Amino acid sequence: MKKFISVIFILFSAFCAFAQSAEMMDQIIEADKVTYGQISYLSAVHQKLVGDEATEEEALNALLNVKHLSKSVLPETVITLEDLSCLYLKMWPSVKGGFMCRITNKAPRYAYKQLQEDGILPKNSDPWNTVSGFEALNILTKCMMTYVPEEERMTLNDDGMED
């Protein structure tokens, strides 16, 4: 039951928070290993760098243009937990992070360590691991719950509609 509720919450958060196309969200959820293109899409749409009709390649290029990616990669390249952490942390510029995170402009290694420190990632996780689409959205939801001020979070009233 707990897993079912988590799935519903993640899906609702993902669909409402970003307003991406349902097809793209389905692709991400069903992915065994999430790619740079998929995570770039989530990040770029959230930051309003591209519209929700954008392709993964357009989203990836938008992140390269604002220097949220330090290297040119193909959209279909599988992303590591470390690089996923970097892209997620850069979605919230107000998050300062620790000393090394700040002076390296949220470099992947230190972004990953910051997510561990904030309790979003387990301390025993491996930065070189890949994650499924479901896991990536779960991490994104934890980031939203941690980094988005409570007054800006979406809430549901008794009839299930957004306030």
Side-chain angles (χ1 to χ4, degrees):
M1 184 66 178
K2 185 177 179 182
K3 190 172 185 176
F4 176 75
I5 291 172
S6 295
V7 169
I8 296 299
F9 179 74
I10 289 170
L11 290 175
F12 179 77
S13 295
F15 283 116
C16 294
F18 300 112
Q20 287 95 337
S21 70
E23 182 180 330
M24 180 62 81
M25 293 306 295
D26 286 344
Q27 289 175 5
I28 293 171
I29 291 168
E30 293 171 3
D32 290 330
K33 293 181 178 180
V34 75
T35 65
Y36 276 92
Q38 292 166 328
I39 298 304
S40 294
Y41 178 83
L42 291 174
S43 180
V45 170
H46 171 75
Q47 297 175 75
K48 296 180 176 54
L49 299 174
V50 297
D52 63 349
E53 73 288 340
T55 65
E56 292 178 5
E57 188 169 344
E58 291 168 336
L60 197 132
N61 287 333
L63 292 180
L64 278 169
N65 289 338
V66 295
K67 300 190 180 359
H68 282 207
L69 283 172
S70 60
K71 57 188 174 195
S72 183
V73 292
L74 297 174
E76 60 272 5
T77 303
V78 175
I79 194 168
T80 63
L81 190 54
E82 186 176 75
D83 287 337
L84 177 133
S85 299
C86 177
L87 288 178
Y88 279 178
L89 200 56
K90 288 182 178 184
M91 290 170 69
W92 292 281
S94 62
V95 176
K96 301 296 183 213
F99 177 72
M100 290 303 292
C101 193
R102 285 191 308 269
I103 68 169
T104 62
N105 192 28
K106 299 178 183 173
R109 172 181 171 83
Y110 299 107
Y112 168 79
K113 289 184 173 290
Q114 187 64 47
L115 292 188
Q116 282 184 316
E117 188 64 33
D118 292 340
I120 294 168
L121 296 175
K123 294 282 187 193
N124 64 350
S125 62
D126 184 348
W128 300 105
N129 278 352
T130 59
V131 294
S132 70
F134 178 81
E135 292 168 320
L137 289 175
N138 192 19
I139 295 167
L140 179 59
T141 300
K142 289 178 182 179
C143 286
M144 290 169 49
M145 298 302 290
T146 303
Y147 302 132
V148 176
E150 190 169 342
E151 61 273 4
E152 293 179 23
R153 288 188 209 145
M154 295 178 357
T155 59
L156 296 177
N157 58 25
D158 292 336
D159 62 358
M161 301 301 290
E162 185 178 346
D163 288 336

